[in-house]
Amino acid sequence: MIKTVIGCAVAFMGTVMMTPTAMAVAWRVGAVDRPRDWRRMHRRAIPRAGGLALLLGFFLGWSAAWRSGVGAGEWRSAWLAIAAGGAGMAAVGLADDVFSMSAWQKLGAQTAVAVLVVAIGGVGEDLIRGTAAVLWLLIAVNAHNMI
């Protein structure tokens, strides 16, 4: 249990420490949200690449937990699926931040990542469970947009 808590603490601290770097990268590559219409809640330009800090923090925490023995053995494929999914979804998010992808392009890319996660994790042994897992991942990833 303590190893998991340490991994979570490392992930949190890594995310906090990487946020300024992610902000600098966002400004450099033009991943900046500018208030242009009524949908924007902010009054000045803000960087949008916060997913980079989350991804790096996650991998730091994951590495700390993995090195201490958490996630070994039978959970190996699940951990690899989570890592692949996190990296894939972060890549989709960064591409959207930089290139302003359409909703259909994002959904297509997210679907590809979700299928990969289900395949790596071994959940999709049959069509119904695999489809349900992909749909659940897509709902979870896009839930914040439904508010």
Side-chain angles (χ1 to χ4, degrees), residues 62 66 75-85 120-121:
W62 183 53
W66 190 275
W75 287 93
R76 185 177 184 91
S77 66
W79 276 101
L80 292 175
I82 291 168
I120 292 173

Side-chain angles (χ1 to χ4, degrees), residues 92-107:
V92 172
L94 182 61
D96 180 40
D97 289 343
V98 174
F99 302 113
S100 297
M101 298 167 65
S102 73
W104 290 110
Q105 289 171 325
K106 283 187 282 193
L107 185 61

Side-chain angles (χ1 to χ4, degrees), residues 32-124:
V32 178
D33 192 18
R34 302 188 191 293
R36 288 178 239 167
D37 56 26
W38 61 271
R39 293 178 22 206
R40 307 297 193 262
M41 296 177 64
H42 50 277
R43 300 197 189 287
R44 59 184 171 85
I46 59 168
R48 296 193 294 180
L52 286 178
L54 289 173
L55 179 68
L56 293 171
F58 167 78
F59 279 121
L60 286 172
W62 183 53
S63 297
W66 190 275
R67 291 180 63 90
S68 67
V70 175
E74 64 191 50
W75 287 93
R76 185 177 184 91
S77 66
W79 276 101
L80 292 175
I82 291 168
M89 291 299 179
V92 172
L94 182 61
D96 180 40
D97 289 343
V98 174
F99 302 113
S100 297
M101 298 167 65
S102 73
W104 290 110
Q105 289 171 325
K106 283 187 282 193
L107 185 61
Q110 290 168 345
T111 302
V113 172
V115 168
L116 177 70
V117 168
V118 169
I120 292 173
V123 177

